Amino acid sequence: MTPAILHNRTYEEIAIGDSASLTRTAGQDDIDLFARVSGDVNPAHMDPEYAAGDRFGHVIVHGMWTASLVSAVLGNALPGPGSVYLGQNLRFRAPVALGDTITARVTVREKRPARGVVALDCECINQHGQVVLSGEAEVIAPRERVRIATKAPPPVRVQRTARFDALIQRARTLPPVRAAFVHPCSVAAIRSALEGREQALVEPLLIGPRARIQAAADAAGVSLDGLCIDDVPHSHAAAERGVQLGAAGEVGVLVKGSLHTDELLSAVVARSGGLRTDRWVSHAFVMDVPAYDKLLVVTDAAINLAPTLEVKRDIARNAIDLMRLLGVEQPKVAVLAAVETINPKMPSTLDAAALTLMAARGQISGGMVDGPLAFDNAIDREAARIKGIDSPVAGLADILLAPDIEAGNIAAKQLQYFAGADSAGVVLGAKVPVVLTSRSDGVRGRIASMALARLIAGDRPDKGVA
């Protein structure tokens, strides 16, 4: 690519009324990179959940990002290279939102020959013609002409994919499912219900103490108009009521609110509750890992502490059925262990070998199962090649089946926090899907989890994922 050429305007060449401009569209990468460079992580810019309750109702772009466009015009065009920036005053007139197209323009207002100072009026205007920033700048203009090829800024990669967007859009092609939000007595739980309704994924039914639900809505600064509330006295009763409605087919999804996971799941798996099937229930994290070329399931990282071989068989079956629902015709299941060879002293390798044989004999159907595989050769073809592993699963896994909850949870959290993965989670194996929300979940993860549950409910709402 031929580099662009920058050339300046000397003090003598500049006339009052001269102007220059540039135009940029504010995107998520601009916010993320500006936050990283500046250290400004104000939640008004970084946290959609917080920003939804702020005065503007949405994330706004850093004001100094907008101001930096003025600096770019001064440094690149008018006066351009060789200028010395003396001072700037700014007035922020209106917020800049994601997707706004901003034109920064500077216009020469005054020349001061004694020092070669040029004063310029500055303004930034959005795509609607609204002034979002105004001010004045003073620079010492260059005395000598400069013509120089630009050096491209170094490449910076913000890892982000749109796989969850496709999942959410697919779920929105279905009518909203009635979802029981069990004991939604926190700000996060209330917002989750409203987000699901706004995305046309669910029709929320709030089950819990009415007064506490209302207090949470007041704390969130939102209205409960149009939402149904099933008033029960406490969290235990809310869990039982949610399960009762799910078993009766009156709701198609359960969503955990501000009660402990064990309390909700105890009601879900109780034989008297009516939600059990012939499967063990298990949890699946569906992860969108930027460094991986497809969605990846990590299971079980939340429910089964030390699963037996029988339980692992159902964890695999649940995950295979989920991935088939998401469009993977024959999901590849990597049964994880610390090593990729069978070691009688390591029970996880024996279970992995048994699961592989069970799949070969039809006891696990719908996907390919292989193990034991270590994490590296489960997801990286080159690592598998170097170790001489000949497997249709190695390096291509759709599902990582963990040996126990600790390994699964660590793997999922590492992918989230080290690899920048988005994650959605759902409980499988019951008659209705169950969304286990966490206080640390972002808006995107919560919406993706509800979209996932919506797709499952739309598939076989009477029998869970099957």
Side-chain angles (χ1 to χ4, degrees), residues 312-330:
K312 287 180 181 179
R313 178 201 64 189
D314 280 358
I315 292 173
R317 294 167 70 196
N318 289 340
I320 287 170
D321 291 341
L322 173 62
M323 289 304 281
R324 286 173 63 86
L325 175 64
L326 295 182
V328 181
E329 185 175 347
Q330 194 172 34

PDB file of all heavy atoms in Angstrom, residues 312-330:
ATOM      1  N   LYS A 312     -20.977 -38.889  33.479  1.00  0.00           N
ATOM      2  CA  LYS A 312     -20.234 -38.330  32.344  1.00  0.00           C
ATOM      3  C   LYS A 312     -20.879 -38.721  31.015  1.00  0.00           C
ATOM      4  O   LYS A 312     -20.877 -37.939  30.063  1.00  0.00           O
ATOM      5  CB  LYS A 312     -18.773 -38.794  32.380  1.00  0.00           C
ATOM      6  CG  LYS A 312     -17.950 -38.136  33.472  1.00  0.00           C
ATOM      7  CD  LYS A 312     -16.514 -38.640  33.466  1.00  0.00           C
ATOM      8  CE  LYS A 312     -15.706 -37.979  34.579  1.00  0.00           C
ATOM      9  NZ  LYS A 312     -14.312 -38.474  34.623  1.00  0.00           N
ATOM     10  N   ARG A 313     -21.433 -39.939  30.954  1.00  0.00           N
ATOM     11  CA  ARG A 313     -22.136 -40.334  29.738  1.00  0.00           C
ATOM     12  C   ARG A 313     -23.281 -39.361  29.454  1.00  0.00           C
ATOM     13  O   ARG A 313     -23.461 -38.906  28.313  1.00  0.00           O
ATOM     14  CB  ARG A 313     -22.685 -41.744  29.890  1.00  0.00           C
ATOM     15  CG  ARG A 313     -23.491 -42.232  28.679  1.00  0.00           C
ATOM     16  CD  ARG A 313     -24.409 -43.374  29.069  1.00  0.00           C
ATOM     17  NE  ARG A 313     -25.411 -42.921  30.034  1.00  0.00           N
ATOM     18  CZ  ARG A 313     -26.237 -43.738  30.689  1.00  0.00           C
ATOM     19  NH1 ARG A 313     -26.164 -45.050  30.486  1.00  0.00           N
ATOM     20  NH2 ARG A 313     -27.117 -43.266  31.540  1.00  0.00           N
ATOM     21  N   ASP A 314     -24.048 -39.006  30.481  1.00  0.00           N
ATOM     22  CA  ASP A 314     -25.173 -38.087  30.270  1.00  0.00           C
ATOM     23  C   ASP A 314     -24.698 -36.658  30.032  1.00  0.00           C
ATOM     24  O   ASP A 314     -25.324 -35.911  29.269  1.00  0.00           O
ATOM     25  CB  ASP A 314     -26.125 -38.132  31.467  1.00  0.00           C
ATOM     26  CG  ASP A 314     -27.069 -39.328  31.412  1.00  0.00           C
ATOM     27  OD1 ASP A 314     -26.995 -40.085  30.428  1.00  0.00           O
ATOM     28  OD2 ASP A 314     -27.878 -39.498  32.345  1.00  0.00           O
ATOM     29  N   ILE A 315     -23.595 -36.257  30.653  1.00  0.00           N
ATOM     30  CA  ILE A 315     -23.030 -34.938  30.364  1.00  0.00           C
ATOM     31  C   ILE A 315     -22.678 -34.854  28.884  1.00  0.00           C
ATOM     32  O   ILE A 315     -22.965 -33.845  28.215  1.00  0.00           O
ATOM     33  CB  ILE A 315     -21.783 -34.681  31.243  1.00  0.00           C
ATOM     34  CG1 ILE A 315     -22.183 -34.541  32.709  1.00  0.00           C
ATOM     35  CG2 ILE A 315     -21.044 -33.422  30.774  1.00  0.00           C
ATOM     36  CD1 ILE A 315     -21.002 -34.453  33.666  1.00  0.00           C
ATOM     37  N   ALA A 316     -22.077 -35.914  28.365  1.00  0.00           N
ATOM     38  CA  ALA A 316     -21.724 -35.939  26.939  1.00  0.00           C
ATOM     39  C   ALA A 316     -22.976 -35.909  26.075  1.00  0.00           C
ATOM     40  O   ALA A 316     -23.053 -35.160  25.087  1.00  0.00           O
ATOM     41  CB  ALA A 316     -20.894 -37.179  26.633  1.00  0.00           C
ATOM     42  N   ARG A 317     -23.973 -36.717  26.421  1.00  0.00           N
ATOM     43  CA  ARG A 317     -25.209 -36.762  25.632  1.00  0.00           C
ATOM     44  C   ARG A 317     -25.918 -35.409  25.627  1.00  0.00           C
ATOM     45  O   ARG A 317     -26.400 -34.950  24.582  1.00  0.00           O
ATOM     46  CB  ARG A 317     -26.138 -37.848  26.183  1.00  0.00           C
ATOM     47  CG  ARG A 317     -25.600 -39.263  26.012  1.00  0.00           C
ATOM     48  CD  ARG A 317     -26.385 -40.261  26.835  1.00  0.00           C
ATOM     49  NE  ARG A 317     -27.719 -40.471  26.315  1.00  0.00           N
ATOM     50  CZ  ARG A 317     -28.708 -41.049  27.011  1.00  0.00           C
ATOM     51  NH1 ARG A 317     -28.487 -41.450  28.264  1.00  0.00           N
ATOM     52  NH2 ARG A 317     -29.893 -41.219  26.463  1.00  0.00           N
ATOM     53  N   ASN A 318     -25.996 -34.778  26.788  1.00  0.00           N
ATOM     54  CA  ASN A 318     -26.639 -33.464  26.870  1.00  0.00           C
ATOM     55  C   ASN A 318     -25.925 -32.451  25.983  1.00  0.00           C
ATOM     56  O   ASN A 318     -26.559 -31.672  25.266  1.00  0.00           O
ATOM     57  CB  ASN A 318     -26.648 -32.964  28.316  1.00  0.00           C
ATOM     58  CG  ASN A 318     -27.609 -33.723  29.213  1.00  0.00           C
ATOM     59  OD1 ASN A 318     -28.533 -34.379  28.734  1.00  0.00           O
ATOM     60  ND2 ASN A 318     -27.390 -33.646  30.521  1.00  0.00           N
ATOM     61  N   ALA A 319     -24.594 -32.450  26.055  1.00  0.00           N
ATOM     62  CA  ALA A 319     -23.822 -31.466  25.285  1.00  0.00           C
ATOM     63  C   ALA A 319     -23.921 -31.744  23.783  1.00  0.00           C
ATOM     64  O   ALA A 319     -23.996 -30.804  22.977  1.00  0.00           O
ATOM     65  CB  ALA A 319     -22.364 -31.477  25.739  1.00  0.00           C
ATOM     66  N   ILE A 320     -23.900 -33.009  23.406  1.00  0.00           N
ATOM     67  CA  ILE A 320     -24.036 -33.347  21.982  1.00  0.00           C
ATOM     68  C   ILE A 320     -25.383 -32.856  21.456  1.00  0.00           C
ATOM     69  O   ILE A 320     -25.461 -32.251  20.379  1.00  0.00           O
ATOM     70  CB  ILE A 320     -23.885 -34.864  21.773  1.00  0.00           C
ATOM     71  CG1 ILE A 320     -22.416 -35.287  21.953  1.00  0.00           C
ATOM     72  CG2 ILE A 320     -24.390 -35.279  20.387  1.00  0.00           C
ATOM     73  CD1 ILE A 320     -22.213 -36.789  22.008  1.00  0.00           C
ATOM     74  N   ASP A 321     -26.440 -33.119  22.201  1.00  0.00           N
ATOM     75  CA  ASP A 321     -27.763 -32.685  21.755  1.00  0.00           C
ATOM     76  C   ASP A 321     -27.842 -31.166  21.642  1.00  0.00           C
ATOM     77  O   ASP A 321     -28.477 -30.634  20.722  1.00  0.00           O
ATOM     78  CB  ASP A 321     -28.834 -33.192  22.722  1.00  0.00           C
ATOM     79  CG  ASP A 321     -29.016 -34.708  22.658  1.00  0.00           C
ATOM     80  OD1 ASP A 321     -28.594 -35.308  21.659  1.00  0.00           O
ATOM     81  OD2 ASP A 321     -29.570 -35.275  23.617  1.00  0.00           O
ATOM     82  N   LEU A 322     -27.186 -30.462  22.559  1.00  0.00           N
ATOM     83  CA  LEU A 322     -27.171 -29.001  22.498  1.00  0.00           C
ATOM     84  C   LEU A 322     -26.467 -28.516  21.235  1.00  0.00           C
ATOM     85  O   LEU A 322     -26.974 -27.649  20.506  1.00  0.00           O
ATOM     86  CB  LEU A 322     -26.476 -28.438  23.741  1.00  0.00           C
ATOM     87  CG  LEU A 322     -26.236 -26.923  23.747  1.00  0.00           C
ATOM     88  CD1 LEU A 322     -27.555 -26.169  23.681  1.00  0.00           C
ATOM     89  CD2 LEU A 322     -25.427 -26.510  24.971  1.00  0.00           C
ATOM     90  N   MET A 323     -25.298 -29.065  20.957  1.00  0.00           N
ATOM     91  CA  MET A 323     -24.562 -28.618  19.781  1.00  0.00           C
ATOM     92  C   MET A 323     -25.274 -28.982  18.478  1.00  0.00           C
ATOM     93  O   MET A 323     -25.219 -28.232  17.503  1.00  0.00           O
ATOM     94  CB  MET A 323     -23.146 -29.208  19.784  1.00  0.00           C
ATOM     95  CG  MET A 323     -22.237 -28.605  20.844  1.00  0.00           C
ATOM     96  SD  MET A 323     -22.112 -26.805  20.716  1.00  0.00           S
ATOM     97  CE  MET A 323     -20.950 -26.629  19.374  1.00  0.00           C
ATOM     98  N   ARG A 324     -25.969 -30.106  18.464  1.00  0.00           N
ATOM     99  CA  ARG A 324     -26.754 -30.446  17.282  1.00  0.00           C
ATOM    100  C   ARG A 324     -27.882 -29.429  17.087  1.00  0.00           C
ATOM    101  O   ARG A 324     -28.184 -29.036  15.954  1.00  0.00           O
ATOM    102  CB  ARG A 324     -27.316 -31.865  17.414  1.00  0.00           C
ATOM    103  CG  ARG A 324     -26.243 -32.943  17.216  1.00  0.00           C
ATOM    104  CD  ARG A 324     -26.787 -34.329  17.517  1.00  0.00           C
ATOM    105  NE  ARG A 324     -27.872 -34.697  16.603  1.00  0.00           N
ATOM    106  CZ  ARG A 324     -27.704 -35.253  15.412  1.00  0.00           C
ATOM    107  NH1 ARG A 324     -26.471 -35.501  14.968  1.00  0.00           N
ATOM    108  NH2 ARG A 324     -28.732 -35.572  14.659  1.00  0.00           N
ATOM    109  N   LEU A 325     -28.485 -29.011  18.178  1.00  0.00           N
ATOM    110  CA  LEU A 325     -29.509 -27.973  18.102  1.00  0.00           C
ATOM    111  C   LEU A 325     -28.936 -26.677  17.539  1.00  0.00           C
ATOM    112  O   LEU A 325     -29.610 -25.943  16.806  1.00  0.00           O
ATOM    113  CB  LEU A 325     -30.099 -27.721  19.497  1.00  0.00           C
ATOM    114  CG  LEU A 325     -31.112 -26.581  19.635  1.00  0.00           C
ATOM    115  CD1 LEU A 325     -32.368 -26.872  18.830  1.00  0.00           C
ATOM    116  CD2 LEU A 325     -31.465 -26.373  21.099  1.00  0.00           C
ATOM    117  N   LEU A 326     -27.663 -26.400  17.846  1.00  0.00           N
ATOM    118  CA  LEU A 326     -27.019 -25.172  17.362  1.00  0.00           C
ATOM    119  C   LEU A 326     -26.473 -25.321  15.941  1.00  0.00           C
ATOM    120  O   LEU A 326     -25.836 -24.405  15.439  1.00  0.00           O
ATOM    121  CB  LEU A 326     -25.888 -24.766  18.317  1.00  0.00           C
ATOM    122  CG  LEU A 326     -26.336 -24.366  19.730  1.00  0.00           C
ATOM    123  CD1 LEU A 326     -25.133 -23.943  20.568  1.00  0.00           C
ATOM    124  CD2 LEU A 326     -27.376 -23.268  19.704  1.00  0.00           C
ATOM    125  N   GLY A 327     -26.715 -26.467  15.322  1.00  0.00           N
ATOM    126  CA  GLY A 327     -26.376 -26.604  13.913  1.00  0.00           C
ATOM    127  C   GLY A 327     -25.144 -27.421  13.607  1.00  0.00           C
ATOM    128  O   GLY A 327     -24.741 -27.524  12.447  1.00  0.00           O
ATOM    129  N   VAL A 328     -24.504 -28.024  14.622  1.00  0.00           N
ATOM    130  CA  VAL A 328     -23.339 -28.873  14.390  1.00  0.00           C
ATOM    131  C   VAL A 328     -23.844 -30.299  14.182  1.00  0.00           C
ATOM    132  O   VAL A 328     -24.355 -30.928  15.113  1.00  0.00           O
ATOM    133  CB  VAL A 328     -22.347 -28.810  15.570  1.00  0.00           C
ATOM    134  CG1 VAL A 328     -21.128 -29.689  15.286  1.00  0.00           C
ATOM    135  CG2 VAL A 328     -21.932 -27.377  15.837  1.00  0.00           C
ATOM    136  N   GLU A 329     -23.709 -30.812  12.982  1.00  0.00           N
ATOM    137  CA  GLU A 329     -24.341 -32.088  12.624  1.00  0.00           C
ATOM    138  C   GLU A 329     -23.792 -33.253  13.431  1.00  0.00           C
ATOM    139  O   GLU A 329     -24.546 -34.120  13.893  1.00  0.00           O
ATOM    140  CB  GLU A 329     -24.154 -32.351  11.129  1.00  0.00           C
ATOM    141  CG  GLU A 329     -24.876 -33.596  10.639  1.00  0.00           C
ATOM    142  CD  GLU A 329     -24.772 -33.752   9.125  1.00  0.00           C
ATOM    143  OE1 GLU A 329     -24.369 -32.773   8.452  1.00  0.00           O
ATOM    144  OE2 GLU A 329     -25.085 -34.844   8.625  1.00  0.00           O
ATOM    145  N   GLN A 330     -22.495 -33.300  13.621  1.00  0.00           N
ATOM    146  CA  GLN A 330     -21.876 -34.379  14.381  1.00  0.00           C
ATOM    147  C   GLN A 330     -20.808 -33.790  15.299  1.00  0.00           C
ATOM    148  O   GLN A 330     -19.624 -33.753  14.961  1.00  0.00           O
ATOM    149  CB  GLN A 330     -21.276 -35.444  13.457  1.00  0.00           C
ATOM    150  CG  GLN A 330     -20.935 -36.737  14.189  1.00  0.00           C
ATOM    151  CD  GLN A 330     -20.523 -37.843  13.241  1.00  0.00           C
ATOM    152  OE1 GLN A 330     -19.904 -37.596  12.208  1.00  0.00           O
ATOM    153  NE2 GLN A 330     -20.846 -39.089  13.582  1.00  0.00           N
TER     154      GLN A 330
END
